[in-house]
Amino acid sequence: MTALLETRHLNRMFGALQATTDVSFRLERGARHALIGPNGAGKTTFINLLTGVLSPTSGEILLDGKAITGMKREARVQRGLVRTFQINQLFGGLTVIESLALVVAERRGEGWNPFRSIGRARGIDTEIADLLRGFGLESVAGETCSDLPYGKQRLLEIALAIALKPRVLLLDEPAAGVPEADRQEVLSRLAALPSDVAILLIEHDMDLVFTFANRISVLVSGGLFAEGTVDEIAHDPRVKDVYLGGGQHG
């Protein structure tokens, strides 16, 4: 079966430093896949290669069986490869509803006029209402993004990513920095993401990883160190030694 997203022998050098080493990786359709590893393992570099922020020194990246290795970032998004960031990338001066309207309108190629009533945009108001409800943002729809509590900012960023209609969604530490009181809502919204979207979760929180993912890849020193089911990774003594801290998480 053809993977939805795949890398073949991916390498990235920064001068003499090998940041990504011969990574061959597969993300299946509808996957809930986590990418973990210690600090400095190369997770951010790998995600930047997938999304076109960086170009590989060698190797290949395929989306739905077609090479996207040299494709620009915007073109990858249009093909359905979307990411969130560890640090929020929001439209600070816009309201929640304006931000969603902007993304939905741009995705449809209709453009967005801030002076036009959102409700008059063809079908956009219905889609926005669904997103607001689906991510628990109805009560803050009219608030400016920069004024939102941090947990709501994280939810909005994920909502904006879903508004792009991704086939592959890369979530970079979606619960990072979220206060404990808001954390459960973020986790429940993640669990409810559309099942037809393949998700790669980059995360340090192993409780979240073990709850969310059904498959885990472990990156160490830029290379794939181990891969398997949640149970296989949780009980792999090699993984415990390099990452989990022997004896933790079963």
Side-chain angles (χ1 to χ4, degrees), residues 209-222:
V209 167
F210 290 156
T211 299
F212 179 83
N214 50 38
R215 191 164 185 82
I216 299 174
S217 296
V218 184
L219 204 64
V220 176
S221 300

Side-chain angles (χ1 to χ4, degrees), residues 32 171 184-195 199 208 211-212:
R32 296 294 184 265
L171 294 173
Q184 189 53 51
E185 183 181 11
V186 173
L187 300 186
S188 65
R189 302 294 177 182
L190 289 177
L193 289 173
S195 60
I199 298 174
L208 173 55
T211 299
F212 179 83

Side-chain angles (χ1 to χ4, degrees), residues 134-145:
F135 288 90
L137 296 168
E138 292 171 298
S139 64
V140 296
E143 293 189 22
T144 303
C145 295

Side-chain angles (χ1 to χ4, degrees), residues 44 83-88 150 154 157 172-174 176 204:
T44 298
R83 74 174 290 182
T84 65
F85 293 83
Q86 185 176 351
I87 299 174
N88 284 330
Y150 195 68
R154 300 302 284 183
E157 186 177 19
D172 192 352
E173 297 195 42
H204 284 290

Side-chain angles (χ1 to χ4, degrees), residues 4 11 54 63 70 87 133-134 186 201:
L4 184 53
N11 291 278
L54 294 172
L63 181 62
I87 299 174
R133 183 170 52 254
V186 173
L201 172 73

Side-chain angles (χ1 to χ4, degrees), residues 1-10 23-29 46 49-52 56 58-71 76 79-81 167-168 170 198 200:
M1 181 183 294
T2 302
L4 184 53
L5 180 66
E6 183 178 5
T7 68
R8 296 176 180 173
H9 306 291
L10 203 62
V23 175
S24 293
F25 170 84
R26 294 170 61 90
L27 184 71
E28 304 296 340
R29 300 173 192 278
F46 182 62
L49 290 169
L50 292 178
T51 55
S58 62
E60 195 172 22
I61 304 168
L62 299 98
L63 181 62
D64 210 10
K66 298 179 181 178
I68 61 168
T69 314
M71 191 175 286
R76 298 184 197 210
R79 291 280 302 275
L81 178 59
R167 292 190 291 158
V168 175
L170 311 178
L200 179 61

